[in-house]
Amino acid sequence: MLRVDVTKQLGEFSLEAAFESQGRVTGLFGASGAGKTSLINMIAGLLRPDRGVIALDGETLDDTSKGIHVPPHRRRIGYVFQDARLFPHLDVRQNLDYGRRMNRLAVDPAQHARVTDLLDIGHLLDRRPGKLSGGERQRVALGRALLSKPRLLLLDEPLGSLDESRKEEILPYLVRLRDEGIPMVYVSHDAAELRQLATQIVMLKRGRVTALGGVKVLT
Amino acid sequence: MFEISPAEWTAILLSLRVAVIATLVATPFGIALAWLLARREFWGKSVLDALVHLPLVLPPVVTGYLLLLTFGRRGLVGAWLADNLGIVFAFRWTGAALACGIMSFPLLVRPIRLSIEAIDRRLEQASSTLGAAPWQVFATVTLPLALPGVLAGMVLGFAKAIGEFGATITFVSNIPGETQTISTAIYSLIQTPDGDAAAGRLVLISIVIAMGALIASEWFARRATRRLHGN
């Protein structure tokens, strides 16, 4: 379970959001500039809230009143960015292996095979990120996050930088991923996308939560 | 004309040794400072930045004199080092290396700093969400991506170190076999009658070394761009 109750002032923009999520896929919905990315950056630990609490499965990740801030590398929260952010100096295989190495996890060939199969990236392993298409890059980024064995996966408009046909290419992989059972927070401004993926919606407007509930709130 | 005398060889080899040691010792400090200046905001940053660049704008003789005052036998640091660790800089080749290291430091730091600044910080964020502690982010993302800049800085620093004159001669003088480098040897030769041919040979050699270093530095800079684009 993810519990968020935070405020953050970013220049002129103020973010004040509170929600609890039990759902397997929490859809964070809102127009651009609504504060979605700032919110998941706080969940990831990349941004510190001015005030408030973030807790995951009973563990406090942020609590400003107690001075708690768990740094991103100790949160075990995976993050798939809109722009993939693959490491340009590493090939696909090394990118995928990165989280395992940093967390000093044992080599897990079965998991590796399952993820590369799930995302159809087995044939890309020896390539450099510069030689991948946008869709391939995003699939590798997904695989990289998954292989670090996170307890929560954040996805920030993972289809945002792709054109329509590419979106159709990735969406089935995301559905498969959801059915794997790993909890996700999925950020999007596209209601159709969230209807397909999310089990619960948090609607955000100008830094405030305006609706919470099932996908029905996306009307 | 192109016969290099043993005395000239001594100066050339000493120059190379001084420049190599100066560069190797200065590089870790250069990387640390470049990272600080590129990635951190702190009180006194502009002062530190100016301090790093000082040897570039100060008359070399002033830098050499300050080194003499600090690291000379009776200097504050020099006396302590000699008494406690047995390290002597004054009138030794190690002092030449110290002078060269300090004089070339700005040229070493600049390309490293620029290449760290050019790295997308969002890659470092991605690295931390994958479980990398700050030192791991530095070791696996920042440093490898900045490596061509580090090499470019080392090459430039080396070229500067090998040509250093003013601070070296002020600090450690011009003793053949101990502190006489290519530059100070040329200075001696052009003051001696019939020294022209020998001076000419050393001039030629220093031009070749400097050109080689500039070309190598350019080559590393081009590699850096390629590396950042992931091809």
Side-chain angles (χ1 to χ4, degrees):
Chain A
M1 188 191 78
L2 176 68
R3 188 160 68 87
V4 176
D5 180 359
V6 290
T7 63
K8 177 84 187 172
Q9 192 71 35
L10 294 155
E12 294 281 283
F13 179 78
S14 92
L15 179 68
E16 235 183 284
F19 65 89
E20 270 185 24
S21 145
Q22 305 276 6
R24 274 189 315 175
V25 181
T26 307
L28 207 54
F29 177 73
S32 61
K36 305 186 297 290
T37 300
S38 305
L39 195 54
I40 63 163
N41 278 344
M42 278 192 265
I43 299 173
L46 297 173
L47 193 65
R48 285 178 86 140
D50 293 337
R51 190 203 61 72
V53 175
I54 297 172
L56 178 62
D57 301 329
E59 188 196 336
T60 306
L61 298 176
D62 271 293
D63 188 339
T64 49
S65 67
K66 292 183 187 139
I68 297 174
H69 172 74
V70 178
H73 67 279
R74 292 214 198 95
R75 294 196 174 201
R76 292 189 39 236
I77 293 180
Y79 197 150
V80 179
F81 302 90
Q82 181 173 348
D83 51 352
R85 304 193 194 176
L86 299 179
F87 302 123
H89 57 300
L90 304 177
D91 62 21
V92 168
R93 188 190 310 276
Q94 293 165 322
N95 265 284
L96 290 173
D97 206 32
Y98 189 85
R100 185 194 65 74
R101 275 175 47 220
M102 292 304 118
N103 292 295
R104 297 198 178 81
L105 304 172
V107 181
D108 187 346
Q111 158 95 340
H112 192 275
R114 223 162 41 85
V115 169
T116 48
D117 280 354
L118 181 86
L119 298 165
D120 274 334
I121 48 178
H123 59 295
L124 305 173
L125 293 178
D126 294 318
R127 290 207 212 157
R128 282 292 187 95
K131 303 272 188 229
L132 300 178
S133 73
E136 288 168 339
R137 227 171 274 167
Q138 212 48 269
R139 269 147 59 199
V140 174
L142 263 169
R144 183 179 69 172
L146 277 177
L147 285 168
S148 69
K149 302 200 174 170
R151 42 186 182 164
L152 175 72
L153 192 59
L154 307 172
L155 300 107
D156 185 11
E157 309 241 13
L159 308 181
S161 60
L162 306 176
D163 57 37
E164 281 308 316
S165 60
R166 290 278 174 221
K167 282 184 187 171
E168 294 306 316
E169 173 197 325
I170 306 285
L171 213 50
Y173 294 110
L174 292 171
V175 173
R176 276 200 230 172
L177 204 64
R178 178 193 65 189
D179 299 337
E180 289 275 297
I182 173 164
M184 300 197 261
V185 175
Y186 192 102
V187 169
S188 181
H189 64 271
D190 184 341
E193 219 173 283
L194 285 176
R195 268 193 213 96
Q196 287 192 59
L197 285 167
T199 54
Q200 185 184 347
I201 299 295
V202 176
M203 203 184 282
L204 211 57
K205 206 171 197 172
R206 287 189 217 98
R208 302 288 183 279
V209 176
T210 55
L212 278 168
V215 284
K216 290 189 299 293
V217 303
L218 291 169
T219 42
Chain B
M1 166 79 199
F2 290 105
E3 200 71 28
I4 296 172
S5 75
E8 289 158 45
W9 268 119
T10 309
I12 294 167
L13 291 178
L14 186 76
S15 275
L16 288 172
R17 176 158 59 151
V18 162
V20 166
I21 297 293
T23 308
L24 291 182
V25 174
T27 298
F29 296 101
I31 293 172
L33 258 165
W35 182 83
L36 265 176
L37 292 172
R39 280 287 189 257
R40 283 280 177 266
E41 292 306 322
F42 51 90
W43 190 88
K45 180 172 170 173
S46 47
V47 176
L48 184 66
D49 195 12
L51 211 62
V52 169
H53 284 91
L54 209 54
L56 206 59
V57 285
L58 222 52
V61 62
V62 172
T63 307
Y65 184 57
L66 289 174
L67 282 172
L68 194 59
L69 290 180
T70 330
F71 289 96
R73 286 276 193 178
R74 265 170 302 209
L76 207 62
V77 184
W80 188 88
L81 283 175
D83 294 344
N84 293 286
L85 300 172
I87 299 174
V88 177
F89 286 110
F91 306 108
R92 298 278 174 83
W93 74 270
T94 46
L98 178 66
C100 289
I102 284 175
M103 290 301 288
S104 62
F105 203 61
L107 290 175
L108 171 76
V109 170
R110 193 166 174 74
I112 304 177
R113 177 182 179 173
L114 288 176
S115 66
I116 292 177
E117 279 172 348
I119 296 168
D120 192 342
R121 301 192 73 158
R122 296 175 308 171
L123 289 172
E124 296 171 335
Q125 288 187 337
S127 160
S128 70
T129 66
L130 288 162
W135 69 269
Q136 288 175 308
V137 174
F138 178 78
T140 61
V141 177
T142 317
L143 192 57
L145 286 173
L147 197 60
V150 173
L151 294 173
M154 287 175 76
V155 171
L156 273 182
F158 172 81
K160 169 74 188 169
I162 216 159
E164 214 295 310
F165 174 77
T168 309
I169 202 166
T170 312
F171 182 31
V172 294
S173 183
N174 188 358
I175 308 160
E178 185 62 48
T179 64
Q180 187 173 70
T181 60
I182 296 181
S183 311
T184 50
I186 292 173
Y187 174 73
S188 295
L189 285 167
I190 54 182
Q191 291 183 326
T192 339
D194 308 324
D196 289 348
R201 284 193 290 275
L202 289 178
V203 164
L204 219 58
I205 285 166
S206 50
I207 291 174
V208 168
I209 292 172
M211 280 298 286
L214 284 173
I215 291 166
S217 163
E218 194 55 38
W219 185 78
F220 286 128
R222 270 204 307 277
R223 272 190 64 109
T225 328
R226 272 219 311 265
R227 210 174 163 93
L228 288 173
H229 290 94
N231 291 316

